[in-house]
Amino acid sequence: MAHSHNTHHHAHGHGDHPDADTMATVLDLDATVNGHYLGEVCDRIAVLVPEPRTMLDLGSGTGTGTLALARRFGSSQVVALDNSAELLERVARAAQEAGLDGQVRTVTADLDSALPDHISDVDVAWASSTLHHFADAEALLRSTFRALRPGGVLAIVEIAEPPTFLPPDSADGEVEQRLREAILGKGWNGGWNGRPDWAPSITAADFEIVETRDIPTDLDNPPAAAADYAVEWLTRVRSGLTDDDASAEDLAAVDQLLHDDNPTSLRRRNDLVVRSSRIAWIARRPENS
């Protein structure tokens, strides 16, 4: 969820962290609503490494990826790496509450260009919505390659399409679509979530790409947490928009959606949907490298 990102729900191991409680709320809501992608990527990893021993979560945030890996691979040790000691405390607490603390270890680390020197012989490295926030992602990928054992797997996940929450054929849904286009057109933080095509960087670090996978979210009856997720997301979107980005009418409409006293506010609706998509790159260090 990665980082300080104005509209994004990931804030992980790099740079400055916004308010940790707010960021943690968004990360956890995203995992609750969109968590199916975690299982899908873990399943793809399991095909290549059925019983990994050591796994890394690069920029672990609140630990949604860390816990998913620990649950899916019960004999593994998962190392959560982040530059925020406060977030790592949350990871440790969440692991303990889930009965996974025996599998999870937290390490405070600045990952802007390299892994800590002592990390080696790794089976799987995971980076979900974090890689684009590191200062030198290509250098970090090279460092990760060196830390992986031959045959080890790298899984990178990014949001490909930002979420929308309202029926597209409704008046409010049309407003939401216009705001989405404003975000995409504005080039948020150098491209609304700064996500490049990681394939050239992955191969430049000597990995071989096994698969590039699109993972859509298309929920007509989302869980109850979708309302809070929508509020958190659109609050961030709204805070970054100016009169130059959207009409006064559209901005006022969003303000009404975010105002709980409004009868059509996000938390009082029964027609919410969730549409978004992620992209995953699954790569490995060649056996003969």
Side-chain angles (χ1 to χ4, degrees):
M1 260 133 51
H3 36 271
S4 164
H5 202 301
N6 288 343
T7 67
H8 200 291
H9 50 283
H10 289 287
H12 306 290
H14 40 61
D16 54 333
H17 281 274
D19 177 79
D21 289 332
T22 300
M23 181 178 58
T25 297
V26 180
L27 288 167
D28 291 340
L29 286 169
D30 175 69
T32 299
V33 176
N34 295 313
H36 64 94
Y37 83 89
L38 297 165
E40 189 164 334
V41 178
C42 283
D43 287 346
R44 303 311 301 165
I45 292 170
V47 171
L48 300 171
V49 188
E51 296 183 359
R53 296 159 297 179
T54 302
M55 312 180 80
L56 304 180
D57 187 356
L58 306 177
S60 53
T62 58
T64 55
T66 300
L67 298 188
L69 292 169
R71 288 190 182 99
R72 179 64 176 78
F73 301 98
S75 60
S76 67
Q77 178 83 21
V78 185
V79 181
L81 297 162
D82 203 287
N83 72 348
S84 168
E86 183 176 354
L87 284 176
L88 288 174
E89 288 174 8
R90 289 174 179 268
V91 176
R93 264 199 319 273
Q96 185 175 33
E97 291 168 2
L100 298 169
D101 45 318
Q103 282 182 256
V104 172
R105 181 161 62 94
T106 61
V107 175
T108 304
D110 178 1
L111 301 180
D112 272 338
S113 61
L115 292 172
D117 292 338
H118 67 275
I119 292 179
S120 62
D121 198 29
V122 172
D123 294 288
V124 174
W126 167 284
S128 180
S129 294
T130 56
L131 195 61
H132 63 274
H133 290 281
F134 298 120
D136 192 340
E138 287 75 12
L140 179 59
L141 287 173
R142 292 192 295 271
S143 174
T144 302
F145 181 92
R146 293 190 295 271
L148 283 170
R149 64 167 178 78
V153 168
L154 169 70
I156 297 172
V157 185
E158 296 277 13
I159 289 183
E161 295 287 342
T164 56
F165 301 94
L166 296 163
D169 56 353
S170 67
D172 287 333
E174 291 174 1
V175 170
E176 185 182 38
Q177 290 294 330
R178 287 195 291 272
L179 295 184
R180 178 180 178 278
E181 293 305 314
I183 294 170
L184 294 173
K186 189 171 182 175
W188 218 289
N189 286 357
W192 74 275
N193 76 343
R195 178 191 63 78
D197 177 4
W198 285 119
S201 298
I202 292 168
T203 55
D206 293 331
F207 287 98
E208 58 182 22
I209 295 176
V210 177
E211 179 182 13
T212 303
R213 190 176 192 86
D214 293 317
I215 306 174
T217 294
D218 191 3
L219 303 176
D220 287 327
N221 295 292
D228 288 337
Y229 182 39
V231 168
E232 294 289 349
W233 182 277
L234 284 178
T235 296
R236 276 162 180 67
V237 171
R238 177 65 180 90
S239 69
L241 292 173
T242 69
D243 293 341
D244 294 330
D245 302 314
S247 70
E249 291 79 11
D250 282 355
L251 294 176
V254 174
D255 291 338
Q256 288 298 305
L257 289 170
L258 295 172
H259 198 294
D260 288 346
D261 290 338
N262 176 33
T264 61
S265 68
L266 291 167
R267 287 198 175 99
R268 299 179 68 174
R269 303 178 73 107
N270 61 7
D271 62 345
L272 292 184
V273 298
V274 181
R275 305 281 188 267
S276 66
S277 67
R278 279 173 161 84
I279 181 170
W281 294 264
I282 310 295
R284 63 183 165 196
R285 176 174 172 170
E287 291 280 3
N288 60 356
S289 63

